[in-house]
Amino acid sequence: MRVGLVLGAGGVIGGSWLMGALEALEAETGWHATDAEQIVGTSAGAVIGALAAAGVPPEYMSAYATGEVLDDVAEAEARAAATAAATAERASAGEYHLQWAFPPIGPGSWRLAMSTLLQPHRYSPAALLAGWLPRGFISTAPFLLAYWVSFTREMRLGAWPRRAYVASLLVPFLINGLLVATQHPAQPYFRGRALLADVARDVETDRKDYDLVLVHHWWMGQYYHYYLSEPQTVWPIGRDREGTAAALDDLTRVPAGARVLLVVNDLATGTDPDGSVVAALKATRPLVRERPCLHSAVPGTGLVCARIYLFGAAPPPSGQP
């Protein structure tokens, strides 16, 4: 049976999640992601997929991401030798070299081409071109390993043609970065991930006053798991199913005696526009204080944290001391 691996996107958080998921999958089933015959990934998934395709085990990825040395990973030397051998075999097999073939006739994507023909107002000029232009006659495999090709000299071309090839792959990214920087000069992405990391860590200024950190919307919970010094205190709420009802159900599982710090991000305003989660907590717990998040005036930081609410422990039911 042939096994393929499909990895989704998610940026830094998604990459961390994928590393943990692949490591858990290997531990539970014994199946190694590096054994997949076909690997498809998007964004962060493409990065993790490229590492897996090169034979890098998930525990190596996790060790690197958490700052551990490989000596702390069980059987590191044996796995490193196996990884080196697998990588050498893949490289020598020529599967990452250019594969020339006759160009196909017709649009590159019939489905996209027909969609742009029927509803042209819904598509950008770039999508129009992508649908109607024919597919190329060079394999896309080298695109995933552009940097690898540049530095290992495995490409069967001269130095300057190889450098020109790699540079051509970077042109769309450079143009896109220039457009974003020009149109959104305050975009926090260009200040690096340190800015958003500071926003996440800012909740620990209230550490003496809370026992649990509830993250609403849950999608950013992994971000706090990664950056907070006590990740076990983080509870993403509402991730079991879509809608505000899931988040409200999670609130019923919060221990009554726990002091709660609620982090609300911009994603929550879309799924919970009425503020039902905040209202439910206010109805059952005393509100100690609320405040804006760090760098709240900087566009984009609300994705991680828009507002913070600190609640005390729930009072005992009437009739109980």
Side-chain angles (χ1 to χ4, degrees), residues 216-220 264-273 302-304 306:
H216 181 47
H217 185 276
W218 67 267
W219 193 84
M220 299 306 296
V264 179
N265 53 54
D266 286 346
L267 295 175
T269 60
T271 59
D272 184 17
L303 178 66
V304 176

Side-chain angles (χ1 to χ4, degrees), residues 7-177:
L7 304 173
V12 176
I13 302 171
S16 301
W17 190 92
L18 288 172
M19 283 186 275
L22 293 179
E23 192 170 357
L25 181 65
E26 183 175 314
E28 292 295 325
T29 67
W31 181 81
H32 302 285
T34 54
D35 294 335
E37 297 191 32
Q38 298 288 336
I39 299 178
V40 178
T42 301
S43 189
V47 175
I48 303 302
L51 291 172
V56 179
E59 62 264 31
Y60 276 32
M61 304 181 201
S62 299
Y64 179 81
T66 56
E68 298 177 12
V69 295
L70 292 182
D71 291 340
D72 294 335
V73 180
E75 302 176 357
E77 294 183 359
R79 295 301 297 272
T83 298
T87 304
E89 181 179 356
R90 287 170 179 260
S92 62
E95 61 180 294
Y96 296 133
H97 296 303
L98 296 180
Q99 304 294 323
W100 295 90
F102 290 106
I105 299 175
S109 170
W110 282 102
R111 181 178 179 180
L112 181 58
M114 292 300 101
S115 298
T116 58
L117 187 63
L118 296 175
Q119 297 177 306
H121 61 281
R122 294 185 57 185
Y123 296 90
S124 65
L128 182 67
L129 290 175
W132 283 97
L133 288 178
R135 284 180 293 164
F137 50 91
I138 298 178
S139 170
T140 58
F143 282 68
L144 297 177
L145 296 172
Y147 292 102
W148 180 80
V149 167
S150 177
F151 293 108
T152 62
R153 301 183 180 180
E154 288 294 330
M155 199 172 183
R156 295 175 183 173
L157 290 173
W160 282 107
R162 183 175 63 252
R163 293 168 184 165
Y165 168 71
V166 174
S168 68
L169 300 182
L170 298 178
V171 169
F173 298 98
L174 295 175
I175 294 177
N176 183 68

Side-chain angles (χ1 to χ4, degrees), residues 154-217:
E154 288 294 330
M155 199 172 183
R156 295 175 183 173
L157 290 173
W160 282 107
R162 183 175 63 252
R163 293 168 184 165
Y165 168 71
V166 174
S168 68
L169 300 182
L170 298 178
V171 169
F173 298 98
L174 295 175
I175 294 177
N176 183 68
L178 178 62
L179 291 175
V180 173
T182 303
Q183 296 176 12
H184 304 285
Q187 176 58 254
Y189 173 83
F190 294 98
R191 300 188 184 186
R193 68 179 185 178
L195 178 65
L196 295 183
D198 288 343
V199 173
R201 294 192 186 102
D202 177 59
V203 304
E204 292 190 314
T205 59
D206 297 305
R207 181 63 190 93
K208 62 182 177 60
D209 297 321
Y210 71 78
D211 302 305
L212 295 175
V213 176
L214 305 184
V215 182
H216 181 47
H217 185 276

